[in-house]
């Protein structure tokens, strides 16, 4: 990962998923903020690796969990039944949280 320093701001440049074959990756959900549903990209180390993406509310309570497999993929998440607000999603591999991101639901 490369960093570019700008006064009062830090921008991180992430390599394309194709260049990340030896790294775990949890991408930014698309779109964010969103209304109703969003997509979350991820990359695992190999096809046989199993992992989970958990969606949590601001208290840390898991409200959804998705079992994922495969090296690269994207899941679609429907949040229509949940209140508008800030939520977090995290990538769990081998029972360890390896990445956490924030998303904003504007459903209601």
């Amino acid at each position: 990962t490369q960093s570019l320093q700008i006064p009062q701001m830090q921008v991180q440049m992430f390599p394309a998923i194709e260049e990340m074959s030896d790294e775990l990756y949890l991408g930014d959900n698309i779109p964010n903020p969103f209304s109703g549903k969003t997509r979350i990209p991820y990359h695992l180390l190999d096809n046989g690796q199993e992992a989970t993406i958990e969606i949590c509310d601001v208290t840390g309570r898991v409200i959804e969990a998705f079992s994922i497999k495969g090296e690269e993929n994207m899941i679609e998440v429907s949040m229509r039944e949940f209140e508008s607000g800030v939520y977090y999603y995290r990538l769990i591999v081998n029972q360890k949280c390896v990445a956490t991101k924030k998303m904003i639901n504007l459903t209601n």
Side-chain angles (χ1 to χ4, degrees):
T1 304
Q2 297 175 333
S3 292
L4 175 63
Q5 295 293 328
I6 300 174
Q8 303 294 324
M9 181 190 311
Q10 180 178 6
V11 177
Q12 290 188 330
M13 306 296 208
F14 293 98
I17 286 179
E18 300 84 45
E19 299 171 11
M20 299 177 53
S21 60
D22 61 344
E23 297 180 36
L24 292 168
Y25 171 76
L26 180 64
D28 293 331
N29 63 301
I30 307 161
N32 193 23
F34 63 95
S35 179
K37 60 183 173 178
T38 187
R39 296 179 317 277
I40 301 172
Y42 67 88
H43 176 83
L44 301 177
L45 295 178
D46 63 54
N47 250 347
Q49 190 169 36
E50 293 186 35
T52 304
I53 292 180
E54 295 179 340
I55 311 295
C56 304
D57 63 17
V58 294
T59 68
R61 181 177 59 100
V62 176
I63 59 171
E64 292 277 344
F66 302 90
S67 292
I68 55 176
K69 273 187 158 180
E71 288 184 15
E72 312 176 7
N73 218 330
M74 187 173 296
I75 62 168
E76 187 169 271
V77 178
S78 176
M79 297 286 289
R80 293 187 201 292
E81 62 195 62
F82 298 103
E83 295 293 319
S84 293
V86 174
Y87 292 85
Y88 295 89
Y89 59 100
R90 57 190 177 201
L91 177 60
I92 309 293
V93 178
N94 297 328
Q95 300 177 357
K96 288 181 155 182
C97 179
V98 296
T100 302
K101 300 270 184 149
K102 178 171 73 171
M103 62 183 174
I104 300 170
N105 181 13
L106 302 176
T107 298
N108 299 317

